[in-house]
Amino acid sequence: MESFKNKTVLITGGSRGIGKAIALAFANAGANVIINYVNSQAKALAVVKLAIKLGGNAKAIQANIADFTEAKKLVDEALETFSQIDILINNSGITKDNLMLRMKEEDFDQVIDVNLKGTWNMCKHLTRNFLKNKSGTIINISSVVGLIGNAGQTNYVASKAGIIGLTKSLAKEFGSRNIRVNAIAPGFIETEMTDQIPKDVRENYLKQIPLNRPGNPEEVANLCLFLASDKATYITGQVISINGGMV
Ligand code: NAP
């Protein structure tokens, strides 16, 4: 496994689920990790403890990434702690599912604010530092539904498809400055987010997966390690699917 010693990774939503697995995978590879969270302080501090046990340096920072000013404070505090950030993983995300006729305007706005605007906020605040360093890698967590659409998730799907557009545009804007930007589109990954899915819908998803099981957060984390590594230096502007063959 490639070492990420002396590299710093900022992970939004690192307190649980996929973000937690990503934080621990990078800590295990020797990286300094910044674990952002919005509400789950105890869980974020537990991830910090585990990361340090694995050999990385780690710090938890609370911030609502949907808020432009809080996102800036998160980046500033991370830079004060580790002086440089090499890898940004925009992982935070929420769902507020409903059919179009029942979806409230605030459910649309909140999901777009956290998932899409939050990702943009983080890129906006951190790319200045990447430009100064003449290097940097961004990985944005999109979703399989951002590629194919999904009934009952117009807000979430629009946010995840938006992340793909943002990723491709940033890759073009910053490619000449040695900054790579890619997206990952996970399928059905077992976390607290998918725990909310009703049993019948879950069974229907599973039927569509050739590998016949949900993915686990560590499998997504492994893909992040690869995309952030020196083995992926010619990959930018791409959306990498990880979905057990679902699409
Ligand atoms: P999860 O278990 O629900 O965790 C969500 C994370 O996002 C938590 O750490 C949460 O922090 C953080 N978060 C939420 N709102 C935030 C905000 N305003 N500011 C900062 N952080 C915020 O979700 P997950 O399943 O691990 O999903 C992680 C990412 O993968 C999401 O972007 C999701 O859309 C995407 N994804 C997931 C799946 C899947 O099947 N699980 C599939 C495709 C894509 P707190 O703990 O503090 O609330």
Side-chain angles (χ1 to χ4, degrees), residues 12-20 36-41 43 63-67 90-95 114-115 141-145 156 160 163 184-194 196-197 217:
T12 67
S15 46
R16 50 197 167 93
I18 294 172
K20 173 181 173 181
N36 156 254
Y37 67 98
V38 63
N39 292 314
S40 311
Q41 186 184 38
K43 286 184 180 176
N64 172 10
I65 57 146
D67 183 292
N90 285 307
N91 162 80
S92 291
I94 59 167
T95 52
V114 175
N115 298 6
I141 306 295
S142 176
S143 168
V144 63
V145 297
Y156 182 77
K160 294 298 181 179
I163 284 174
I184 291 179
F188 189 174
I189 311 295
E190 216 139 32
T191 66
E192 283 175 36
M193 184 178 272
T194 45
Q196 299 165 22
I197 297 173

Side-chain angles (χ1 to χ4, degrees), residues 4 100 162:
F4 283 86
M100 186 63 162

Side-chain angles (χ1 to χ4, degrees), residues 1-211:
M1 183 184 40
E2 183 165 322
S3 169
F4 283 86
K5 211 164 174 34
N6 300 322
K7 300 272 183 201
T8 300
V9 191
L10 194 167
I11 302 126
T12 67
S15 46
R16 50 197 167 93
I18 294 172
K20 173 181 173 181
I22 295 171
L24 295 180
F26 277 98
N28 192 41
N32 306 317
V33 287
I34 299 281
I35 293 144
N36 156 254
Y37 67 98
V38 63
N39 292 314
S40 311
Q41 186 184 38
K43 286 184 180 176
L45 292 176
V47 179
V48 167
K49 259 193 174 172
L50 284 171
I52 291 170
K53 227 176 169 181
L54 287 169
N57 283 322
K59 182 173 182 177
I61 303 179
Q62 194 277 339
N64 172 10
I65 57 146
D67 183 292
F68 188 75
T69 312
E70 284 194 33
K72 170 135 189 3
K73 273 201 212 147
L74 164 61
V75 169
D76 289 347
E77 198 177 329
L79 285 170
E80 271 165 32
T81 309
F82 289 118
S83 74
Q84 182 171 319
I85 295 167
D86 305 282
I87 299 153
L88 166 65
I89 306 202
N90 285 307
N91 162 80
S92 291
I94 59 167
T95 52
K96 287 197 178 286
D97 298 349
N98 222 328
L99 294 170
M100 186 63 162
L101 292 183
R102 292 195 201 124
M103 189 177 288
K104 296 194 186 105
E105 184 187 4
E106 65 244 38
D107 294 340
F108 181 83
D109 289 345
Q110 277 174 23
V111 169
I112 295 291
D113 280 353
V114 175
N115 298 6
L116 182 55
K117 175 85 188 301
T119 300
W120 184 85
N121 284 342
M122 292 303 297
C123 293
K124 165 85 180 159
H125 294 310
L126 199 49
T127 42
R128 195 176 293 281
N129 182 257
F130 282 179
L131 287 170
K132 207 175 90 197
N133 296 336
K134 298 188 173 63
S135 78
T137 302
I138 300 174
I139 298 171
N140 295 323
I141 306 295
S142 176
S143 168
V144 63
V145 297
L147 298 167
I148 60 168
N150 199 20
Q153 285 197 309
T154 48
N155 50 359
Y156 182 77
V157 172
S159 74
K160 294 298 181 179
I163 284 174
I164 292 172
L166 170 61
T167 300
K168 293 186 178 202
S169 302
L170 271 186
K172 289 192 171 175
E173 203 165 314
F174 289 130
S176 65
R177 318 296 283 273
N178 195 31
I179 297 168
R180 296 187 298 110
V181 191
N182 290 293
I184 291 179
F188 189 174
I189 311 295
E190 216 139 32
T191 66
E192 283 175 36
M193 184 178 272
T194 45
D195 284 351
Q196 299 165 22
I197 297 173
K199 205 170 164 228
D200 55 325
V201 179
R202 182 190 165 86
E203 273 162 18
N204 190 37
Y205 279 142
L206 287 176
K207 274 190 211 144
Q208 298 169 46
I209 302 173
L211 288 183

